Amino acid sequence: MADLRLVVVGAGGRMGRALIRAIEEADGVTLTGAVERPGSPALGRDAGVLAGLPALGVPVLDEPQAAFEGADGVLDFTSPESSLLHAALAAEAGLFHVIGSTGFSAEEEAALAALAARTALVKSGNMSLGVNLLAALVKRAAATLGEDFDIEIVEMHHRMKVDAPSGTALLLGKAAAAGRGVDLDERAVRGRDGITGARHAGDIGFAALRGGTVVGDHDVIFAGPAERLMLGHRAEDRMIFARGALRAAAWAQGKPPGLYSMADVLGLTDF
Ligand SMILES: NC(=O)C1=CN([C@@H]2O[C@H](COP(=O)(O)OP(=O)(O)OC[C@H]3O[C@@H](n4cnc5c(N)ncnc54)[C@H](OP(=O)(O)O)[C@@H]3O)[C@@H](O)[C@H]2O)C=CC1
Ligand SMILES: O=C(O)C1=N[C@H](C(=O)O)C[C@H](O)C1
């Protein structure tokens, strides 16, 4: 069978470089295109060299349509604005699109869902196996423990991260809300400061820490009467996200248009 032909958007970024390395280490996939924004210092460079590998003969371009030519799918860990732009271009070119970018507003999420009517789009705030299994466990714990256990989600990331709470924290919050049968938007408390008053029963709280080079730490705390359950995950290497994205790409190939999650990819939807 022919290799899956993939384009990496945001090729010069932390995740872009990890994705290029993951493609090179995997069987059955080939990097055929690499995209960066106009003005990026990565433009014209060889994508392999950019990722610390031998040259691959794939130059970094600022013209997505040219980079998408002859490809099967797009891997995109950039920003909400960039992912929306590239999702539209991928749909136009008939390519599936794997999106790891985080920090989408409700309006941007809706725009992406509309684009998913035209192509297969896999989007997740965290592409690792461990976090997606954690989400399934959180959903189960939230359903079992009920509202006398207060749910707080704590995350820590490197100093360069631009959005908070992290996409993973929100994914875990959604899993907890689903376990309780409530809407996260109605119960989320995304940071506290000053005289906040006592905690409301049923709130799902978030706290975000930033510093150093932390790849991604997440804890979900169920604080109940005289006991606490803590479920957590520690990401030690960005390659776990990149390998997850490749798994999503292999799964997305040939799928009908739609908005899919990593739970779909990993078969965790019935948890
Ligand atoms: N779902 C998951 O498993 C994971 C998700 N993420 C998410 O992925 C995203 C990227 O993270 P990270 O790699 O650390 O960030 P970086 O800032 O290191 O990388 C983003 C890259 O995308 C580039 N970019 C931005 N806009 C465009 C555009 N319009 N066209 C082409 N390239 C563009 C940036 O260029 P420039 O620097 O010039 O702006 C940069 O090179 C974040 O939203 C992060 O939260 C991260 C890890 C795992
Ligand atoms: O920006 C990052 O680095 C990460 N972003 C994702 C998130 O927002 O949860 C996934 C991972 O935690 C790393």
Side-chain angles (χ1 to χ4, degrees):
M1 213 166 92
D3 273 9
L4 200 56
R5 295 160 63 89
L6 299 174
V7 178
V8 172
V9 179
R14 282 175 288 275
M15 276 308 299
R17 284 175 278 137
L19 288 162
I20 293 165
R21 288 195 293 274
I23 291 170
E24 279 313 292
E25 76 173 19
D27 291 328
V29 284
T30 304
L31 181 77
T32 59
V35 179
E36 260 297 339
R37 70 157 97 235
S40 165
L43 292 179
R45 291 190 63 194
D46 183 276
V49 174
L50 197 59
L53 302 170
L56 297 171
V58 179
V60 179
L61 307 177
D62 60 1
E63 290 161 4
Q65 287 100 331
F68 286 6
E69 229 164 85
D72 298 304
V74 178
L75 308 179
D76 176 342
F77 288 61
T78 54
S79 68
E81 192 189 5
S82 159
S83 291
L84 271 171
L85 167 74
H86 291 98
L89 296 174
E92 225 163 80
L95 311 187
F96 66 77
H97 194 186
V98 175
I99 299 181
S101 310
T102 58
F104 289 83
S105 66
E107 293 72 28
E108 288 166 334
E109 296 275 9
L112 216 49
L115 284 166
R118 295 165 51 202
T119 192
L121 206 154
V122 183
K123 175 175 174 291
S124 175
N126 195 303
M127 300 270 173
S128 75
L129 175 60
V131 157
N132 284 281
L133 181 57
L134 174 63
L137 299 173
V138 164
K139 183 176 171 190
R140 177 65 192 268
T144 304
L145 294 173
E147 282 200 359
D148 55 341
F149 279 74
D150 298 323
I151 301 177
E152 292 286 315
I153 300 175
V154 183
E155 53 107 334
M156 180 160 186
H157 284 84
H158 54 93
R159 63 164 69 99
M160 302 305 289
K161 185 160 178 63
V162 297
D163 56 310
S166 69
T168 309
L170 293 170
L171 179 160
L172 295 170
K174 272 191 194 124
R180 281 189 171 171
V182 300
D183 182 350
L184 180 64
D185 291 340
E186 287 170 14
R187 312 312 287 260
V189 177
R190 294 169 61 142
R192 300 182 179 95
D193 186 27
I195 310 296
T196 60
R199 195 182 197 285
H200 295 120
D203 282 352
I204 298 177
F206 292 85
L209 314 182
R210 295 288 175 265
T213 57
V214 178
V215 174
D217 289 358
H218 292 88
D219 289 304
V220 182
I221 303 164
F222 294 83
E227 60 179 326
R228 247 175 308 158
L229 173 67
M230 297 163 74
L231 302 175
H233 181 267
R234 300 288 176 270
E236 295 171 359
D237 190 322
R238 287 187 177 82
M239 290 301 279
I240 62 171
F241 312 128
R243 293 188 190 115
L246 288 192
R247 196 160 167 174
W251 181 90
Q253 170 74 338
K255 286 280 179 307
L259 183 55
Y260 302 101
S261 69
M262 276 309 276
D264 294 310
V265 173
L266 298 170
L268 290 168
T269 46
D270 60 342
F271 221 85

